[in-house]
Amino acid sequence: MTRVAVIDVGTVTARLAIADVEEGRVTRMMRQSTIVNLGQDVDKTGVLREDACERLLVCVDGYLERIRAAGVEAVCCTLTSASRDASNSGELVAAFAARGLKAQVIPGQVEGSLTFLGVAQDFGNTPLLVADNGGGSTEFALGSLGEGNKLRLSFVRSIDVGCRRLTDKFLSRTDPPSEQDLSQAHAFAAQLFADVRMWEGGNMPAPKRLVVTGGTSTTIVALTKSLVPYDSSQVHLSIIRMAEVERQERRLAALPVAKRSELPGIQPKRAPVMLGGVVAVTEILRATGFEEATVSESDLLFGLSLTVAATVDGLPSPVGWRPEL
């Protein structure tokens, strides 16, 4: 057994996982998630705000305390969309280094591959389309798992559509947003997602299932079931259908942020960006042609944990990317 710790710093959320990996499978995982909104205003300014970085570093200091007490063999930290976009992300990487943490800003293709690796553990060799909808981007990956847990990916794409980005671009002008602003958000996402059905034409296997990951998708389930407190067992591998996603959008769009934050099933700090996320999920379903999607919690944290454990054990990286530990 190999015990590893991974930190994923997204545009909205910073997440920690401490995982036990054995024979290429995650056998146990402790997770913690904190909304820090690192990507606040990045789409407009192109830089990470000082107060956002401070929130993140306070969060990571707490994570490092847990890691030190956990007896892990290796630690890995990745940063995604907001850090890819920001011109000053190097300063954040340096702040991590001062804490003894080697942080890597990873490309969207690596992010999508790691997420697919985590998701696919639950589906065997079924051809999947995985859509990881985050704060600043959505990663699409098409493929399956082969023998020996080997990835077979037909394509991976990262598209700059996420809940934070849509909120900052279109949905924060008025509270609640106008119908025109909501329509513009839909049109923007639809345009960027327009050509994701790359399997059409017979050059690659068509997906049998659409799987979605990310805080928006899990919160849609939590809102639908009014989960208080949040219950992972009622979320993981749940099905969300287009009609329910559209119903939640109408519900959220009619409320100001303060009222959204009071709905059972939503984290108050997610309320400001939740409508943008639902818009993105709606357009994912439309663009891919699926009427429903499976929600997975076995996401990038799982894929990253498997990849770190393989590196510790001296095995080839399952995604072709080697983490700095």
Side-chain angles (χ1 to χ4, degrees):
M1 183 193 75
T2 303
R3 176 167 291 182
V4 300
V6 297
I7 298 173
D8 167 49
V9 179
T11 301
V12 173
T13 309
R15 302 183 300 156
L16 165 69
I18 297 172
D20 293 336
V21 180
E22 191 168 0
E23 296 181 353
R25 301 285 297 183
V26 174
T27 58
R28 180 183 175 192
M29 178 179 281
M30 182 286 298
R31 287 183 286 185
Q32 185 174 343
S33 177
T34 308
I35 293 176
V36 297
N37 277 313
L38 178 65
Q40 184 178 0
D41 294 336
V42 167
D43 185 74
K44 178 173 62 177
T45 67
V47 297
L48 300 171
R49 287 172 42 148
E50 183 177 353
D51 58 337
C53 291
E54 289 173 354
R55 290 194 299 268
L56 172 63
L57 292 172
V58 169
C59 169
V60 169
D61 285 342
Y63 287 172
L64 289 173
E65 289 184 13
R66 297 200 67 172
I67 289 169
R68 294 187 189 102
V72 304
E73 296 181 50
V75 183
C76 176
C77 177
T78 57
L79 301 94
T80 56
S81 180
S83 299
R84 289 195 292 265
D85 291 350
S87 61
N88 62 337
S89 57
E91 297 173 15
L92 186 58
V93 170
F96 280 119
R99 290 162 166 78
L101 193 59
K102 295 181 179 179
Q104 293 171 268
V105 180
I106 58 173
Q109 185 158 358
V110 171
E111 183 181 0
S113 299
L114 289 167
T115 300
F116 189 96
L117 177 64
V119 167
Q121 306 301 311
D122 290 315
F123 297 98
N125 61 0
T126 302
L128 304 174
L129 178 65
V130 174
D132 179 19
N133 173 237
S137 64
T138 299
E139 282 65 48
F140 289 91
L142 173 66
S144 62
L145 275 184
E147 292 184 9
N149 219 25
K150 186 176 181 180
L151 273 186
R152 297 183 296 199
L153 289 174
S154 298
F155 77 81
V156 181
R157 288 193 61 195
S158 180
I159 299 174
D160 285 341
V161 174
C163 63
R164 176 88 257 171
R165 196 181 298 272
L166 289 178
T167 299
D168 289 350
K169 277 185 175 296
F170 304 105
L171 303 177
S172 55
R173 298 165 182 162
T174 60
D175 185 23
S178 67
E179 289 187 12
Q180 181 180 7
D181 290 344
L182 193 58
S183 295
Q184 288 180 351
H186 273 285
F188 176 84
Q191 180 180 9
L192 293 187
F193 289 159
D195 60 351
V196 299
R197 298 174 71 168
M198 298 179 68
W199 59 90
E200 293 185 337
N203 294 326
M204 56 188 72
K208 302 295 185 184
R209 185 192 294 257
L210 171 65
V211 184
V212 291
T213 69
T216 293
S217 301
T218 56
T219 303
I220 289 172
V221 178
L223 283 170
T224 300
K225 297 183 177 182
S226 297
L227 294 181
V228 181
Y230 184 86
D231 183 354
S232 178
S233 67
Q234 294 196 51
V235 175
H236 183 53
L237 302 183
S238 292
I239 302 295
I240 55 173
R241 295 178 173 82
M242 175 68 87
E244 178 59 26
V245 177
E246 291 176 335
R247 186 180 79 84
Q248 292 297 343
E249 180 180 320
R250 292 192 297 270
R251 181 188 188 193
L252 293 167
L255 298 173
V257 169
K259 291 296 183 181
R260 287 181 216 158
S261 68
E262 297 173 358
L263 295 173
I266 193 170
Q267 295 171 280
K269 288 185 179 180
R270 184 170 291 279
V273 298
M274 185 59 193
L275 178 59
V278 175
V279 168
V281 172
T282 300
E283 295 303 334
I284 288 169
L285 287 164
R286 288 175 179 168
T288 59
F290 284 86
E291 282 296 316
E292 65 180 36
T294 304
V295 176
S296 175
E297 290 197 338
S298 299
D299 53 15
L300 183 145
L301 291 178
F302 277 74
L304 189 55
S305 297
L306 292 171
T307 303
V308 171
T311 302
V312 171
D313 295 339
L315 300 173
S317 167
V319 298
W321 165 84
R322 297 195 71 81
E324 294 183 8
L325 307 180

